[in-house]
Amino acid sequence: MIDPRGEEDFEDQGRDLQAEIEAERIAEALVFASSQPVPEAFLFERLPTGADVRAIMLRLKEQYAPRGVNLVQIEGAWAFRTAADLSFVIRRDDNEVKKLSRAALEVLAIIAYHQPVTRAEIEDIRGVQTSRGTLDVLMEAGWVRFRGRRRTPGRPVTLGTTRDFLDHFGLEELRDLPGLEELKGAGLLSGRIPANFNIPSPLMNDELTEDEDPITQMDLEELGLLAPRGTSED
């Protein structure tokens, strides 16, 4: 005699499996259709109630791992990207950011590792002045942004990296930035660096620190990023 409870359990398992498959399909479609990395919060809002977004995305990541297109995590967001070992076959000439100068690379590295950091602090670390043009290049590339304003005299603007920076350099989060030994191995640091030299641990989130204030509408106007209120742009 067949136990009806066993049949019900089997049917419930079948429905659960179908619901998981459907949730994966929805998540896959949402990420595929987006031109920007899709935050997990966005997926949570659109997947069926009760769906385990993190587990779904990790399963999809594993499924796509051996393929020509990989599902990658960038901070708390997800995106499809060409597999790293196949990037050479993709022509990106039209979208390639012009080659950065040594000064721009130095400034970008300082911002990445020391953020939040002000222009004066960058110059103190480099030992030379930083031109506005260098920062403009990094901002136009979408890799650097204004974070806030430091609670010190003059209220200098603080700088930090963006999600596009992580995306471009294939980093899931800032903790994936190369450490001291990795930089030595890549030949990016001299073998005769000072004994007390160290690389700071970068800030791990976008939240303002205790000595930062958020950037306001007035700040944006002062920085020339917005037209002053009450005026019109021709």
Side-chain angles (χ1 to χ4, degrees):
M1 183 175 180
I2 299 176
D3 186 347
R5 290 175 298 179
E7 290 185 352
E8 290 177 1
D9 290 342
F10 183 77
E11 290 176 357
D12 289 341
Q13 292 174 4
R15 283 193 291 269
D16 290 343
L17 178 59
Q18 187 60 40
E20 288 181 4
I21 293 174
E22 186 64 15
E24 285 185 4
R25 293 180 66 240
I26 294 172
E28 185 178 28
L30 289 170
V31 177
F32 179 81
S34 176
S35 60
Q36 298 293 327
V38 179
E40 285 188 3
F42 179 88
L43 295 171
F44 180 81
E45 293 175 355
R46 283 155 179 77
L47 291 181
T49 302
D52 188 336
V53 175
R54 171 53 61 121
I56 289 171
M57 301 312 294
L58 291 177
R59 284 198 300 270
L60 285 172
K61 180 180 181 179
E62 184 177 357
Q63 293 170 20
Y64 274 92
R67 301 183 185 179
V69 174
N70 297 156
L71 181 63
V72 300
Q73 185 177 9
I74 307 163
E75 290 187 318
W78 295 86
F80 283 112
R81 295 290 182 262
T82 303
D85 61 325
L86 297 178
S87 59
F88 71 95
V89 302
I90 307 297
R91 293 186 59 86
R92 301 180 62 184
D93 297 345
D94 295 338
N95 299 320
E96 195 70 33
V97 177
K98 65 180 181 180
K99 187 175 180 180
L100 294 179
S101 65
R102 181 180 180 84
L105 286 172
E106 290 178 355
V107 170
L108 180 60
I110 290 170
I111 293 173
Y113 283 98
H114 291 264
Q115 59 186 302
V117 62
T118 67
R119 180 172 173 177
E121 290 166 345
I122 293 172
E123 293 175 347
D124 184 56
I125 293 170
R126 293 185 66 220
V128 295
Q129 288 189 334
T130 298
S131 71
R132 179 55 191 260
T134 298
L135 289 174
D136 286 343
V137 167
L138 297 176
M139 290 189 170
E140 288 171 6
W143 297 342
V144 168
R145 66 183 177 88
F146 293 126
R147 282 178 47 94
R149 304 203 77 157
R150 187 67 53 77
R151 294 177 182 173
T152 56
R155 300 185 65 244
V157 175
T158 56
L159 300 162
T161 54
T162 65
R163 181 177 289 167
D164 284 346
F165 165 80
L166 296 176
D167 193 6
H168 182 86
F169 290 97
L171 304 171
E172 287 191 3
E173 53 189 359
L174 287 172
R175 75 174 74 238
D176 294 327
L177 284 167
L180 181 60
E181 294 305 318
E182 292 172 292
L183 291 173
K184 284 182 181 178
L188 298 176
L189 287 178
S190 167
R192 294 181 295 178
I193 58 176
N196 62 347
F197 179 84
N198 64 80
I199 294 177
S201 298
L203 191 70
M204 295 313 302
N205 57 60
D206 289 336
E207 294 182 5
L208 296 177
T209 58
E210 292 183 356
D211 65 346
E212 284 182 289
D213 287 321
I215 290 182
T216 65
Q217 170 89 12
M218 186 177 298
D219 293 327
L220 293 175
E221 293 173 6
E222 179 184 329
L223 295 168
L225 300 179
L226 287 180
R229 284 171 290 187
T231 66
S232 59
E233 295 181 331
D234 296 331

